[in-house]
Amino acid sequence: MLEYLYLPHDISTFGPQVDWLFELIFWPVAAVWIAVMVAMVFFMIRYRARPGRKAEYIEGNPRLEIIWTTATAVILVILALMSRSTWADIKEHGPPGEAFYLVNAKQFNWEFTYPGPDGKFGEKGEITIENEMHVPVNKVVRIDLTSRDVIHSFFIPNMRLKQDVVPGHTIHVWFEATETGQYEIACSELCGFGHSGMKASLTVQSQEDYDKWLKDLYAHPPAPPASSSPATPATPPQGASPQ
Amino acid sequence: MSSTAAVAAHGARAERSSPGFWRTYIFSEDHKMIGKQFLFMALVMMAIGGLMAMLMRWELAFPETQVPGFHWVPEPFMYDGAIPPNTYNAMFTMHATIMIFFVVIPILVGCFGNFLIPLMIGAREMAFPKLNMLSFWVGAVAGLILLSSFFATGGSAAAGWTSYAPLSAVAIYTGVDWGQNLWCISIIVLGVSSLMGSINYITTIVNMRTEGMNFFRLPLVIWSLFITAILSLLALPMLMTVLALLLFDRMGGTHFFLPAGGGEPLLWQHLFWFSGHPEVYVMILPAMGIVSDIIATFSRKPIFGYRTMAYAMIAIAALSWTEWGQHMFQSGMNPALAGGFMITTMFVAVPATLVTFNWLGTLYKGSIHYTAAMLNALAFVAMFVIGGMSGIWMASAPVNMYLHDTYFVVAHIHYVLFGGSLFGIFAGLTYWYPKMFGRMMNETMGKIHFWITFVSFNCTFFPMHILGMAGHMRRIYNPQQYDFLKPIIPINEFISISSFVLGAAQLLFLANIVWSCFKGARASENPWHANTLEWTTPSPPPHGNWPGTVPIVYRGPYEYSSPEVAEDFLPQSLLIKHSAAAAD
């Protein structure tokens, strides 16, 4: 089970950058931690109280204090700046979208809206299903997130992607899956008594399989979700257009 | 020196203040008694909050099974001993609320602040004794309001201690009605209590220091309490206002946080964290002060870089106002803001690193005595390093994207609040117990408690980092509902078993407090051979704190192993010819 003691298998294009930052932070932290613990334990043993020995009267050492303060500041600002560009790639801008979806969260289900056969939202033919998302592999997926009631959070562990879904806002996220397979989408912001178990399945498929699945869906549209109300905006949402 | 007048005045005062049971133990205006009242209130609350933690751990390791011994709990809280999701949500909400607002803050600020400030600055009382009494009793009312919410229809608050709107703002979203209202009211009332305390602390420290006690002769624990009081004074009015707005949304038909009426859910998070983040530092700064004093005393050495320690704590407090966005990287606020918040968040690690290295510098070439208090203080340092450094991952917005709202965060806050604040509290209580109760706390029992706590604490909270790395969301009722979390079920079980040991070990600490109160060895005036002023008066100190005159201060608080004297300590109030000549 050792492989489960680390970050889960990554299937997104930006995931390796996130994991790289995770490891980048790990090394200085581990080095400092080991240094601090070794120094501390050494001092604790070496300078334990023994009869006849008096502690040395040392009030401080400004030069040392300046050195370790500056070193920390430099390392941390570098880490923050290195995080900055990855963050901008993931959350501020990204590649133009190739497949578009609307995701609406509500206590305690995810509604996934697929565009109609003409590839557009807001027209006849768009289909909404609950708790089941299918996306094509190696395509930039752009999603508009909305919530009907409280704050939820759209979390795909294998993508490293997390974004709160806030009522009154339309929030855009993107990802590109690199592997086909079956994954889980979870809600990671407390949203009420059904928060635990508010999840959906994510199927990443080859374009052909995906097209086939979508065709089947258009041919046999499921009944709309029981409590469904027109949650999708009438006009195509901004995030759903290529940037 | 008008010592005779002071003695006479004090004598008169002592006579007036021996007014029987009620005025001595219940409606006391004596800062020492009020400090103890805060302590006992917090210990009761700690037992309640701790029990909830155990129940949660049971649920997480053995989801939806019956908790042994809890069949008697009536529905709808539990169903024949099994915990339903609503109760689970209520428990983590109340566990955090109780531990933060009714345990850690009352002990660090209410207990140590009240007990230590006058004794360590050389004052006979707080500036406003009546206000001080009121502060405790208003705090006690707040506690009762919070506890009463368990019995409200729909149960107690269940929207998390951060109570994000709109979940917290509309009753149907949680099914909790008056429970959440009472939660708001309770913390607003507690805020009034803390404000009264803050005003008192600031006034006392600014105005009532004894002769010779200038600001840079204050012990670091007093510095930390002073900074904390200023932080509370600035943060609490805002926190109380935010809670009032939530209450208006719930009861008054307003829409501050409800999008349906034009409100903004993110406004809650901005306001809550802008005032709440400084409150987080209120929970750690006094522990840093306590630990600084204890490490210097038992290393028999001056604290390394006394002035920089004070400046570092001021820097931490100042930076705490610039960091609230770190809680909101994934909230939907403009992602461009994360760039700035990453820098400010990373920056707080700079003064935190400084104090940590200064603690190590204090150990260097010391003569370290391993008392139970010292062991707890050293554990604070080691755990604070882990808790502080795990924050660096979350300060990086892209990594935060993965770790936010997972058990990595739970591990981080517990390393800081339990590994940090609570070990600081154990250290401080063991250290000042003789001054508080006139008897020594049992060292053997203290050390047994320390080792069991230290080991089981790490077994409980360290693996939570691994849960977080696996993606385990916090605040979920049943992790086994998720396929991707199934492989880590054994870790959850291990954590829960460790946490039961951890919880049980705290009974030992409570037992030690009670047992030592009656059976402990009588404490001398200065059992630890410490320098600060509270050790210049009998244990426990009488009314008015010093039987004779208030001591005069000639030097800083950490002159341990000074070459000027043969002993390895040099009390702040001791006049030696050499230094008297130097002062002239």
Side-chain angles (χ1 to χ4, degrees):
Chain A
M1 62 171 271
L2 274 175
E3 73 267 25
Y4 297 114
L5 299 181
Y6 198 61
L7 304 167
H9 180 61
D10 169 70
I11 57 153
S12 72
T13 48
F14 51 65
Q17 278 174 275
V18 173
D19 294 359
W20 183 78
L21 276 172
F22 186 94
E23 286 164 17
L24 180 75
I25 296 170
F26 177 82
W27 292 111
V29 163
V32 171
W33 187 75
I34 289 170
V36 166
M37 286 304 116
V38 167
M40 191 169 166
V41 171
F42 175 74
F43 292 166
M44 283 170 65
I45 296 167
R46 174 78 178 71
Y47 302 116
R48 67 189 185 277
R50 272 163 299 176
R53 195 179 65 82
K54 203 170 161 180
E56 258 182 59
Y57 186 79
I58 304 169
E59 285 184 300
N61 184 333
R63 184 193 279 182
L64 266 181
E65 288 176 295
I66 290 168
I67 290 172
W68 58 50
T69 307
T70 317
T72 324
V74 169
I75 293 174
L76 291 173
V77 169
I78 290 174
L79 285 178
L81 292 177
M82 291 179 90
S83 302
R84 184 77 191 78
S85 60
T86 304
W87 176 251
D89 288 347
I90 301 170
K91 286 282 174 95
E92 286 177 53
H93 33 77
E98 296 168 293
F100 302 94
Y101 307 88
L102 306 178
V103 176
N104 185 50
K106 60 180 185 183
Q107 285 182 328
F108 301 99
N109 285 296
W110 297 100
E111 291 175 353
F112 296 93
T113 302
Y114 298 81
D118 57 355
K120 287 188 177 147
F121 292 99
E123 316 274 323
K124 284 224 159 82
E126 68 173 31
I127 294 176
T128 300
I129 55 176
E130 282 195 337
N131 300 333
E132 197 181 336
M133 184 175 202
H134 288 245
V135 296
V137 70
N138 295 327
K139 291 278 151 58
V140 176
V141 170
R142 281 194 169 267
I143 302 171
D144 280 12
L145 294 165
T146 54
S147 166
R148 183 168 304 159
D149 36 48
V150 301
I151 297 175
H152 302 271
S153 191
F154 186 74
F155 179 33
I156 311 176
N158 295 92
M159 300 267 189
R160 313 291 185 260
L161 177 67
K162 186 178 288 142
Q163 175 60 55
D164 284 7
V165 188
V166 185
H169 290 245
T170 302
I171 299 173
H172 320 295
V173 290
W174 74 275
F175 63 77
E176 182 181 342
T178 56
E179 282 177 36
T180 57
Q182 192 82 31
Y183 306 95
E184 277 175 302
I185 298 171
C187 176
S188 70
E189 183 70 65
L190 176 65
C191 59
F193 64 85
H195 167 54
S196 186
M198 176 170 167
K199 58 173 185 170
S201 71
L202 170 69
T203 309
V204 182
Q205 297 167 303
S206 67
Q207 187 71 48
E208 302 83 70
D209 288 353
Y210 174 72
D211 289 340
K212 205 167 137 236
W213 176 82
L214 207 55
K215 214 169 171 185
D216 273 2
L217 191 68
Y218 291 138
H220 312 284
S227 63
S228 183
S229 59
T232 51
T235 49
Q238 303 145 15
S241 56
Q243 287 182 355
Chain B
M1 184 69 216
S2 57
S3 57
T4 40
V7 171
H10 174 250
R13 184 189 185 125
E15 249 167 61
R16 257 189 295 122
S17 56
S18 43
F21 177 79
W22 284 93
R23 298 299 302 268
T24 310
Y25 295 104
I26 310 295
F27 296 106
S28 173
E29 293 175 22
D30 183 339
H31 71 97
K32 300 184 287 299
M33 182 54 67
I34 295 170
K36 290 181 207 171
Q37 288 174 326
F38 270 112
L39 174 64
F40 287 119
M41 179 180 90
L43 290 176
V44 171
M45 294 302 256
M46 192 197 276
I48 299 170
L51 185 64
M52 284 185 212
M54 306 289 104
L55 289 170
M56 281 190 281
R57 280 318 317 178
W58 178 274
E59 170 63 30
L60 288 166
F62 315 107
E64 301 179 42
T65 59
Q66 293 167 336
V67 188
F70 278 81
H71 295 273
W72 53 273
V73 179
E75 294 176 13
F77 296 112
M78 283 194 188
Y79 292 86
D80 199 21
I83 302 168
N86 255 345
T87 302
Y88 181 80
N89 289 3
M91 281 196 299
F92 65 66
T93 303
M94 295 301 272
H95 165 74
T97 307
I98 286 175
M99 290 305 193
I100 289 168
F101 292 106
F102 292 92
V103 177
V104 172
I105 294 180
I107 296 186
L108 285 179
V109 181
C111 168
F112 288 120
N114 266 306
F115 190 83
L116 295 179
I117 288 173
L119 278 169
M120 291 180 97
I121 68 170
R124 292 206 183 273
E125 226 337 317
M126 281 286 187
F128 310 113
K130 278 214 164 55
L131 192 69
N132 209 13
M133 174 178 82
L134 199 60
S135 165
F136 171 73
W137 281 107
V138 170
V141 168
L144 288 177
I145 294 173
L146 191 76
L147 293 181
S148 72
S149 74
F150 284 114
F151 305 101
T153 317
S156 63
W161 83 273
T162 50
S163 282
Y164 277 11
L167 180 66
S168 58
V170 180
I172 51 160
Y173 288 153
T174 51
V176 174
D177 190 6
W178 263 94
Q180 186 77 40
N181 298 347
L182 289 169
W183 182 87
C184 293
I185 295 167
S186 165
I187 297 174
I188 291 172
V189 173
L190 186 74
V192 175
S193 156
S194 295
L195 277 181
M196 290 192 278
S198 296
I199 291 165
N200 219 341
Y201 294 176
I202 294 169
T203 315
T204 307
I205 293 173
V206 170
N207 292 311
M208 296 179 66
R209 283 166 288 121
T210 184
E211 199 182 331
M213 179 65 94
N214 59 40
F215 268 91
F216 282 106
R217 284 177 178 173
L218 287 175
L220 286 171
V221 63
I222 301 300
W223 263 110
S224 70
L225 288 163
F226 183 55
I227 296 164
T228 300
I230 295 171
L231 269 187
S232 295
L233 188 70
L234 296 174
L236 282 169
M238 185 155 168
L239 186 65
M240 290 152 73
T241 311
V242 191
L243 291 163
L245 295 183
L246 181 62
L247 207 55
F248 293 156
D249 270 11
R250 290 182 65 85
M251 304 180 73
T254 58
H255 296 88
F256 290 107
F257 309 121
L258 297 172
E264 173 54 73
L266 292 184
L267 178 66
W268 166 267
Q269 296 181 33
H270 279 294
L271 296 177
F272 180 85
W273 284 119
F274 183 70
S275 53
H277 197 79
E279 278 293 292
V280 172
Y281 290 118
V282 164
M283 291 184 274
I284 192 74
L285 280 171
M288 290 164 78
I290 288 170
V291 162
S292 302
D293 271 39
I294 292 173
I295 288 182
T297 304
F298 292 115
S299 301
R300 315 307 295 163
K301 255 192 75 191
I303 193 87
F304 196 88
Y306 166 76
R307 277 186 188 238
T308 38
M309 291 293 275
Y311 291 136
M313 289 196 290
I314 293 171
I316 292 172
L319 283 169
S320 74
W321 296 97
T322 64
E323 289 171 42
W324 79 96
Q326 65 177 264
H327 302 276
M328 298 176 63
F329 287 150
Q330 321 308 330
S331 69
M333 78 172 177
N334 186 345
L337 293 172
F341 281 121
M342 267 196 271
I343 303 263
T344 54
T345 303
M346 291 284 190
F347 250 99
V348 80
V350 175
T353 312
L354 180 63
V355 295
T356 307
F357 279 124
N358 282 3
W359 287 322
L360 289 186
T362 309
L363 296 177
Y364 174 69
K365 293 200 171 174
S367 172
I368 305 168
H369 294 256
Y370 292 103
T371 59
M374 182 64 165
L375 290 172
N376 280 293
L378 291 171
F380 171 101
V381 177
M383 299 300 98
F384 180 75
V385 172
I386 297 178
M389 292 204 300
S390 68
I392 297 174
W393 275 281
M394 288 175 293
S396 164
V399 183
N400 176 288
M401 181 169 72
Y402 180 64
L403 295 176
H404 181 66
D405 270 328
T406 66
Y407 264 80
F408 202 88
V409 182
V410 180
H412 168 73
I413 52 178
H414 284 91
Y415 263 91
V416 180
L417 274 183
F418 195 138
S421 307
L422 214 51
F423 274 107
I425 285 170
F426 293 145
L429 283 177
T430 316
Y431 182 66
W432 280 293
Y433 189 91
K435 195 53 67 182
M436 284 181 175
F437 298 99
R439 289 172 188 269
M440 305 298 288
M441 223 164 151
N442 186 295
E443 274 287 310
T444 314
M445 227 198 285
K447 283 177 181 164
I448 294 171
H449 164 257
F450 166 77
W451 282 111
I452 299 176
T453 304
F454 184 73
V455 172
S456 57
F457 165 82
N458 280 296
C459 290
T460 301
F461 293 106
F462 198 83
M464 286 188 188
H465 293 109
I466 296 164
L467 295 186
M469 285 166 64
H472 194 318
M473 293 81 71
R474 67 194 281 205
R475 292 169 172 172
I476 54 170
Y477 161 73
N478 182 354
Q480 299 181 12
Q481 288 167 319
Y482 299 87
D483 291 331
F484 75 103
L485 296 178
K486 283 193 174 133
I488 52 173
I489 290 173
I491 303 181
N492 255 327
E493 290 171 353
F494 175 79
I495 290 174
S496 292
I497 292 162
S498 307
S499 80
F500 300 147
V501 177
L502 181 61
Q506 303 325 304
L507 297 176
L508 212 58
F509 190 73
L510 286 181
N512 198 357
I513 287 184
V514 175
W515 185 88
S516 302
C517 203
F518 298 102
K519 301 275 181 176
R522 292 245 174 236
S524 64
E525 204 166 81
N526 189 2
W528 312 120
H529 294 184
N531 287 344
T532 40
L533 294 184
E534 77 274 27
W535 306 108
T536 59
T537 180
S539 308
H543 277 279
N545 292 346
W546 283 270
T549 55
V550 174
I552 296 171
V553 168
Y554 299 100
R555 60 185 66 76
Y558 300 115
E559 308 257 318
Y560 291 103
S561 302
S562 164
E564 291 185 57
V565 286
E567 298 86 39
D568 64 355
F569 68 115
L570 180 50
Q572 284 188 282
S573 59
L574 189 78
L575 180 66
I576 51 176
K577 277 200 183 104
H578 174 68
S579 64
D584 293 337

